[in-house]
Amino acid sequence: MSASPLTPLDYIAAGYWQDFLAGRFVAGGMAYEAELHRCTLDESLASLQRVDTLLSQIRRDMVKSGSWDEAALLIDERYRNFMVFLAFYAGRVLAQQWQYTPHWFGEFELRKRYPTLPLLTDDFYQHMAVVYRDDSEVNNQFNTTESLFFALEPIGMRLFGHIDRPFQAVQGGQVASGLYQAVTARVPNAINNSYTLPLDDAQSFDKKLTEVGVTQHSRQDIQTDNIDNSYSHHELQSTPEPVKADTVLAKANLSTASLESPPVQTITAETTSVVSSQAALKEVAVKPTTKFAPTPELFTQLLIELDEIDVAQSAGKTEYEQARKVLDQFEQYIAKQEKPRAQVAFSQQHLAAKQQALARLQDAAHAGNSAAMLRLAMYELLGEGINTDKVAGMEAGVEWVKQAASKNDSRAQRLLSKLYYQGFGVPQDMTNGKYWLEQAAENGHVEAASLVSQWQQAQALISTQKQEQHSLKRYQLLFAVIIVVAILIFIIV
């Protein structure tokens, strides 16, 4: 493998990286170049979390500005260069974990070397892949697809994936919801699973907690370790299972899923997406002993919306703000670690501080504060709330979301629609999913309004198509009657 000749993409990947490090412009331009520099691309796994955060922000900005149009962006060279650069970078980070030089193949090389791959010629996300390890050194196999990584797929999913946008991985299963999840699922056993906090990190965390009223403790009180958590956070990944719909709508570049549920459509819970991804990776000979995952995107998105979407509150403001300041420090600290949140452990003193913050949050929620209801729901659904029983916590979390949604909080209504569409915490119910999505749109939720608009266009197109087909059948029947009458007249005459 290492003796394979360099491909054109290998030279391009090296050129992109050198230009980026030198601050030179990429030929043709590259969108969000300044933002990428602020992400501190130090080739670490943590840097992929920063990239995922940037991608989520870009998505939100596009939705707000009405420019969330995948087809239009894919013909823009600056955006294509941006996504290709990120793919090159992710491949570089992954190969570094394997202590291997990344080797890139374009569509021509892929078809020649891996003829069994079901590549789609017109799929932008499948036209390049990186080999990030040498299979001959791992399991005495050559030319297998196990070490291939289609790095553009999770980028596309992060930017454009939603309940009705199909993102099927070329290697099978579902596409990861971001680069961090996709890469950490492929890291080798050699990764050291233990992690000792740097002194500065621990002191900084304690200092921030002190600033918001939590007693400072020594850095030895904070440590990370491998925790056997019976509640798998992988179950909460927000990668949507795509909807299968008529190809006629797909050709129109519209949303292809109806809000109804006709027999031709199948929607599977988003909570099964990681299970599907893991099943697709069963053939990999070398599996990580520890499953890595960031905080589920379902909840990172919720926290962002709680900060960005302002909903007037009539009660519980003081308690909510006190709790939020403490819990935000925990979230920021967890986000800095190269570990899933389930593997980040805190001292008993810090956990006590967190429980106090949750108690304040609960007081605010009982007072009617919908933001407090949603934050409390998040922790209950994560298995980190006031309820120690997982089932009780799940039920409580769903109930808090429902209460917040009933108060016309668009953030809660959007979250509740996801829960119903996914069948997570509630029985899967397309009708209720549709109802709460529409409620969120009516109450000003931008992303929900965009999805509803797309689905309405799809429904209009379906209706028009049916009318045309009906009219055609009528004309065909009329024409057949005319022919029969003409033949009878001819025979009689």
Side-chain angles (χ1 to χ4, degrees):
M1 180 77 71
S2 58
S4 300
L6 294 178
T7 69
L9 281 181
D10 287 333
Y11 289 106
I12 294 173
Y16 269 44
W17 184 240
Q18 291 168 6
D19 286 344
F20 180 80
L21 292 179
R24 294 189 295 265
F25 291 108
V26 172
M30 186 169 73
Y32 305 107
E33 192 162 355
E35 289 82 353
L36 281 174
H37 280 286
R38 289 197 289 270
C39 283
T40 312
L41 302 187
D42 55 6
E43 302 181 63
S44 67
L45 292 173
S47 69
L48 296 179
Q49 291 178 305
R50 297 191 288 271
V51 168
D52 283 341
T53 300
L54 172 61
L55 291 172
S56 294
Q57 183 62 53
I58 291 171
R59 173 189 174 122
R60 290 191 298 273
D61 291 344
M62 288 191 297
V63 170
K64 288 181 179 179
S65 65
S67 60
W68 193 34
D69 187 333
E70 181 180 8
L73 291 178
L74 288 182
I75 63 175
D76 187 323
E77 185 177 9
R78 295 177 65 254
Y79 282 91
R80 290 201 313 274
N81 286 340
F82 169 66
M83 287 186 273
V84 168
F85 172 81
L86 288 183
F88 286 150
Y89 178 70
R92 186 181 188 89
V93 173
L94 179 54
Q96 181 175 271
Q97 297 294 326
W98 285 92
Q99 298 183 351
Y100 187 71
T101 301
H103 196 44
W104 285 91
F105 294 123
E107 184 179 350
F108 173 79
E109 291 88 2
L110 287 170
R111 291 187 183 280
K112 183 177 180 180
R113 190 181 183 99
Y114 307 103
T116 60
L117 278 176
L119 294 173
L120 300 176
T121 302
D122 58 349
D123 192 327
F124 170 77
Y125 307 104
Q126 296 181 6
H127 82 269
M128 54 185 279
V130 63
V131 175
Y132 57 87
R133 75 174 192 219
D134 191 343
D135 281 335
S136 65
E137 297 177 0
V138 176
N139 55 8
N140 296 319
Q141 295 184 24
F142 296 88
N143 298 336
T144 69
T145 62
E146 294 174 354
S147 62
L148 273 181
F149 176 37
F150 286 82
L152 284 169
E153 291 179 335
I155 297 171
M157 171 63 82
R158 193 78 172 189
L159 286 173
F160 304 110
H162 53 78
I163 195 70
D164 69 331
R165 168 59 173 98
F167 266 92
Q168 291 286 353
V170 67
Q171 293 168 290
Q174 298 305 307
V175 176
S177 64
L179 287 173
Y180 180 82
Q181 180 188 349
V183 169
T184 52
R186 294 169 169 82
V187 295
N189 287 331
I191 296 257
N192 187 354
N193 293 324
S194 63
Y195 181 78
T196 303
L197 289 179
L199 177 63
D200 291 343
D201 280 355
Q203 289 179 338
S204 174
F205 178 62
D206 271 324
K207 181 179 178 182
K208 289 179 179 178
L209 287 182
T210 302
E211 290 172 355
V212 295
V214 179
T215 305
Q216 183 176 8
H217 304 288
S218 65
R219 75 180 181 90
Q220 288 84 2
D221 288 336
I222 310 173
Q223 60 183 355
T224 58
D225 198 358
N226 297 327
I227 301 174
D228 182 13
N229 192 339
S230 60
Y231 184 71
S232 173
H233 294 273
H234 286 75
E235 296 175 1
L236 295 176
Q237 296 296 337
S238 61
T239 307
E241 185 81 11
V243 176
K244 299 176 182 178
D246 296 324
T247 57
V248 174
L249 297 181
K251 292 179 180 178
N253 290 321
L254 294 172
S255 172
T256 59
S258 169
L259 285 177
E260 306 298 334
S261 53
V264 296
Q265 296 178 341
T266 302
I267 301 179
T268 305
E270 291 178 5
T271 53
T272 64
S273 61
V274 175
V275 177
S276 300
S277 298
Q278 292 171 346
L281 293 170
K282 282 183 178 179
E283 296 179 359
V284 179
V286 179
K287 299 182 178 66
T289 56
T290 300
K291 298 175 182 178
F292 294 86
T295 297
E297 187 180 355
L298 184 69
F299 299 121
T300 57
Q301 179 68 25
L302 173 62
L303 291 175
I304 291 169
E305 289 186 358
L306 284 169
D307 288 336
E308 292 186 351
I309 302 176
D310 186 28
V311 175
Q313 304 293 336
S314 59
K317 294 180 181 179
T318 301
E319 294 86 350
Y320 173 72
E321 286 301 321
Q322 290 174 345
R324 182 187 64 80
K325 289 177 181 178
V326 175
L327 295 172
D328 278 353
Q329 299 306 321
F330 278 87
E331 292 305 316
Q332 291 169 14
Y333 177 77
I334 291 171
K336 290 174 62 177
Q337 312 307 313
E338 294 188 12
K339 291 265 185 190
R341 64 184 297 126
Q343 295 179 1
V344 179
F346 299 94
S347 69
Q348 290 302 314
Q349 293 92 334
H350 285 96
L351 290 176
K354 184 177 180 181
Q355 287 301 311
Q356 290 176 3
L358 290 174
R360 291 194 187 99
L361 208 58
Q362 188 177 52
D363 290 340
H366 282 305
N369 190 297
S370 63
M373 294 176 187
L374 287 172
R375 282 184 181 263
L376 191 59
M378 181 192 82
Y379 285 105
E380 294 291 3
L381 293 171
L382 281 169
E384 303 173 8
I386 294 175
N387 288 279
T388 56
D389 180 73
K390 181 177 71 173
V391 175
M394 181 75 70
E395 292 175 350
V398 171
E399 186 58 34
W400 282 122
V401 177
K402 288 181 177 179
Q403 286 192 38
S406 68
K407 296 175 70 65
N408 286 330
D409 189 317
S410 66
R411 304 163 300 188
Q413 291 167 338
R414 178 67 182 114
L415 178 59
L416 188 54
S417 75
K418 291 179 182 179
L419 297 184
Y420 275 116
Y421 275 122
Q422 299 165 17
F424 174 67
V426 293
Q428 190 176 36
D429 189 328
M430 300 301 108
T431 301
N432 270 324
K434 171 191 173 184
Y435 172 79
W436 287 111
L437 183 70
E438 291 176 331
Q439 291 298 304
E442 289 179 8
N443 284 301
H445 194 285
V446 177
E447 183 189 29
S450 175
L451 288 172
V452 170
S453 175
Q454 292 178 46
W455 280 330
Q456 287 173 343
Q457 293 178 54
Q459 289 300 308
L461 188 59
I462 291 174
S463 178
T464 300
Q465 185 185 41
K466 288 181 178 178
Q467 290 176 2
E468 291 175 350
Q469 290 175 344
H470 181 66
S471 297
L472 179 60
K473 289 180 180 179
R474 291 181 60 187
Y475 287 131
Q476 289 174 338
L477 181 60
L478 179 60
F479 183 72
V481 170
I482 293 173
I483 293 295
V484 171
V485 171
I487 293 174
L488 289 174
I489 292 174
F490 178 78
I491 292 173
I492 294 173
V493 174

